[in-house]
Amino acid sequence: MVYFQFVFAAITLILIAGALLGRMNFHAWMIFVPLWLTFSYTITAYSIWCPTGWLAKKGIIDYSGGYVIHLSSGVAGFTAAFWVGPRANKDRERFPPNNILLMLAGAGLLWMGWTGFNGGDPYTVSVDASLAVLNTHVCTATSLLVWLLLDIMFFGKPSVIGAIQGMITGLVCITPAAGVVQGWAAIIMGILSGSIPWYTMMVLHKKISFLKHVDDTMAIFHTHAIAGSLGGILTGIFAEPKLCRIFYLVPEWEHYIGLLNGFHDNRAGAGFKQLGVQLLGILFVVFVNVIMTSIICVLIRLVVPLRLSEEELSTGDDAIHGEEAYALWGDGEKYESRHDSFYGADQEIPHSTKSGGAGGQVEMA
């Protein structure tokens, strides 16, 4: 259980990093990680998941981290991106994927891993865990198809990138509800998670100047903050009381009653109350992450620059790490590395040349 929760925390930071790619100072990031985990993540995680947390006492439903992980990372990443500033103009204007085949492989691993992400949350093999796995795949597949259909309708072509974006928003949306909603609700959530984040990313983002100003490299705000909030709201609508009681191990209680079930059981007041708690949770997570992330970034800026210099941005990875992720060198070019070469930077690398003699001897220069 401890390891499981530590991995959740690590995933949240990886998602935040996706919003800051291409310009944040590595030393600033190393300071940011422990500070944000301590003063932001733990606050929301305790408030929502710990039985003594104030939102947990109110009955908030977050099955596997729609609030704690995805909404937090989306808001914190967007806020940090505001403070760090944008990438170089050339990187913002053209940022194609390096390898779509590897991207597909990674997406497949992500989808497969989410089976354990949601299915493992009850910490036991149970009907609840099985339902969480099934709903995860149903919602994700639906979301992927809806995103593709929208791409075809408005852009004329389906794309691998669009399919993966739809996959991610489906995974995120079902996360707070995975084991507490019925299969038909997972389908509806997939339809909405494939369309609403698509609209915010493809339409609203281009119309709202503030969204365009903040350089969220991997669109974490749309795929995680928007999709996570959507999942939390829909959980408040579709949550099944019996399934909630199985997961939360509580007897008959006034909490954990989705709005639709509230209408069905003539307990509309309880349903509206649950929806209100879900909305309150969204406001709380947004508030904590905006405030704490801003404070942390401002404090770090007093010690080290948040952003790389323009010279370092133009050079890339080699300026920061002494190596490049994609070292493209070929005929007539000599690859040099400050760290990984046996030879010094100012020492010429030996090369072989064939002599013109009949013996075909090889001389070493």
Side-chain angles (χ1 to χ4, degrees):
M1 182 184 296
V2 174
Y3 172 77
F4 198 71
Q5 290 297 328
F6 268 110
V7 172
F8 274 9
I11 289 172
T12 310
L13 279 161
I14 292 171
L15 295 175
I16 294 174
L20 303 170
L21 291 177
R23 78 276 198 186
M24 188 171 186
N25 186 342
F26 184 74
H27 299 100
W29 173 252
M30 295 301 291
I31 300 172
F32 178 88
V33 168
L35 290 178
W36 189 86
L37 274 179
T38 303
F39 297 106
S40 186
Y41 180 86
T42 53
I43 294 175
T44 55
Y46 178 85
S47 301
I48 292 173
W49 278 342
C50 183
T52 57
W54 73 277
L55 281 171
K57 289 180 178 179
K58 287 185 175 295
I60 192 170
I61 303 173
D62 186 10
Y63 188 88
S64 196
Y67 287 115
V68 175
I69 297 171
H70 299 292
L71 178 56
S72 292
S73 63
V75 174
F78 189 82
T79 304
F82 170 81
W83 288 104
V84 174
R87 289 166 289 165
N89 289 332
K90 63 181 181 66
D91 291 333
R92 294 194 72 181
E93 292 170 359
R94 179 166 173 77
F95 187 58
N98 178 269
N99 192 316
I100 290 182
L101 291 179
L102 285 181
M103 187 171 66
L104 268 176
L109 291 172
L110 181 66
W111 191 340
M112 179 183 68
W114 223 286
T115 300
F117 190 96
N118 287 347
D121 230 305
Y123 303 119
T124 184
V125 178
S126 63
V127 173
D128 187 37
S130 300
L131 180 62
V133 171
L134 178 62
N135 284 340
T136 297
H137 294 306
V138 168
C139 179
T140 304
T142 305
S143 180
L144 185 153
L145 291 174
V146 170
W147 194 292
L148 274 183
L149 288 173
L150 289 172
D151 277 351
I152 294 171
M153 290 170 59
F154 288 90
F155 304 122
K157 296 179 181 179
S159 70
V160 172
I161 297 175
I164 293 176
Q165 297 282 32
M167 179 201 80
I168 292 173
T169 55
L171 290 168
V172 171
C173 184
I174 196 61
T175 294
V180 298
V181 298
Q182 298 288 355
W184 59 266
I187 295 175
I188 297 175
M189 294 179 74
I191 293 172
L192 294 175
S193 65
S195 54
I196 293 178
W198 182 93
Y199 178 76
T200 64
M201 183 187 297
M202 301 299 180
V203 180
L204 285 185
H205 188 91
K206 298 175 182 178
K207 292 183 177 181
I208 301 176
S209 58
F210 180 68
L211 292 178
K212 290 192 294 183
H213 172 72
V214 179
D215 184 15
D216 178 3
T217 309
M218 303 299 291
I220 302 300
F221 178 77
H222 300 285
T223 56
H224 292 271
I226 298 296
S229 299
L230 177 64
I233 293 171
L234 294 175
T235 301
I237 296 174
F238 297 127
E240 185 82 29
K242 293 181 180 179
L243 295 174
C244 289
R245 292 178 189 122
I246 292 174
F247 178 64
Y248 287 103
L249 301 176
V250 294
E252 291 290 333
W253 200 31
E254 69 273 13
H255 297 318
Y256 308 131
I257 300 173
L259 183 60
L260 288 184
N261 281 278
F263 281 122
H264 182 268
D265 298 335
N266 295 320
R267 302 180 66 181
F272 279 112
K273 183 178 180 181
Q274 184 63 55
L275 184 59
V277 171
Q278 299 298 116
L279 293 171
L280 178 63
I282 293 173
L283 294 176
F284 174 73
V285 173
V286 170
F287 175 80
V288 169
N289 279 280
V290 169
I291 298 300
M292 296 309 300
T293 304
S294 296
I295 292 174
I296 291 169
C297 287
V298 170
L299 291 177
I300 292 174
R301 193 167 60 178
L302 299 176
V303 181
V304 295
L306 283 174
R307 178 184 171 84
L308 296 173
S309 67
E310 294 302 321
E311 181 180 357
E312 290 171 325
L313 286 175
S314 62
T315 304
D317 290 335
D318 190 55
I320 312 304
H321 305 291
E323 57 192 4
E324 296 180 6
Y326 304 98
L328 304 177
W329 56 288
D331 295 338
E333 297 182 17
K334 182 170 63 177
Y335 174 69
E336 294 180 355
S337 172
R338 287 178 291 176
H339 300 309
D340 301 324
S341 176
F342 176 78
Y343 300 93
D346 57 349
Q347 185 175 352
E348 187 174 351
I349 300 175
H351 59 279
S352 62
T353 58
K354 291 184 179 180
S355 68
Q361 296 178 344
V362 177
E363 296 179 353
M364 298 299 293

